Amino acid sequence: DSKIRDDTLQVNYYGTFDLAQQLIEGGRLKKGGRLIVTSSTYYNMNKFEVNKEHYGELSDYKSGKLTEAKLEQIISQYKSEVFDADKRSNWPPMVYAGSKVFVTLRVFLLAKKYKDYKFYAFCPGYCKTDLTGGYGDRSAAEGAETGVFLALENIKDEDNGEFFQDKKLKSV
């Protein structure tokens, strides 16, 4: 429903990047600082293949053609169509999953925009937590390992803006 859609996008996407903007513009994130964002591989870019209009732009995000403004336009269209009976087949059905793909793309775009900072997205994996009802293939501590790795280890400069899982670079 629209409340779930709006709440999910607010928490996973807008809240994350509003905070990032405040940290950068307010000088709280120092040059060379890292912003590490939790994302997910629950859905990857291939789930957007159903959208003939935007799949090319989204999947070719490294070409430089996808901008923050264009991503916001796509998200706006997604919000208006994902529950529209005539148009929802053009989008991945789970708002959570869609929001996490948008998060990963925005991390990449931020890295290109703010070259003095490091931005990374990562998937903790399917962790045994209250959110998953205790199901999962790893503990929360194991899920946090990649985030800690990104915070503390020397990551190659060319991997700024990239997506990681299990301490490894992973394609979206």
Side-chain angles (χ1 to χ4, degrees), residues 14-130:
Y14 294 111
T16 298
F17 296 109
D18 287 349
L19 176 61
Q21 204 68 39
Q22 290 175 23
L23 291 171
I24 293 166
E25 291 175 2
R28 302 293 301 222
L29 185 63
K30 304 299 181 197
K31 292 196 187 297
R34 300 177 192 200
L35 185 69
I36 299 154
V37 178
T38 305
S39 192
S40 178
T41 56
Y42 188 73
Y43 265 50
N44 60 26
M45 191 64 66
N46 294 336
K47 298 297 183 186
F48 278 86
E49 284 180 320
V50 296
N51 189 301
K52 304 299 183 219
E53 181 181 357
H54 296 302
Y55 175 70
E57 296 167 298
L58 294 172
S59 63
D60 193 28
Y61 66 97
K62 290 185 178 183
S63 71
K65 294 176 187 171
L66 183 66
T67 63
E68 286 183 64
K70 184 62 180 177
L71 181 58
E72 289 298 326
Q73 178 187 345
I74 292 169
I75 293 170
S76 179
Q77 185 177 351
Y78 173 74
K79 285 171 61 177
S80 70
E81 294 181 358
V82 73
F83 292 121
D84 181 316
D86 296 326
K87 297 178 181 177
R88 68 175 161 225
S89 64
N90 293 328
W91 299 100
M94 286 195 62
V95 176
Y96 170 82
S99 74
K100 291 300 188 173
V101 170
F102 296 143
V103 162
T104 301
L105 294 174
R106 184 73 182 272
V107 164
F108 179 82
L109 294 172
L110 284 175
K112 299 303 170 209
K113 181 177 181 179
Y114 297 107
K115 298 195 183 292
D116 291 334
Y117 307 96
K118 302 296 181 193
F119 299 90
Y120 306 105
F122 82 99
C123 177
Y126 186 40
C127 298
K128 296 174 191 165
T129 64
D130 291 345

Side-chain angles (χ1 to χ4, degrees), residues 132-150:
T132 64
Y135 294 99
D137 59 10
R138 61 185 73 191
S139 69
E142 290 169 318
E145 288 177 4
T146 298
V148 172
F149 167 80
L150 292 169

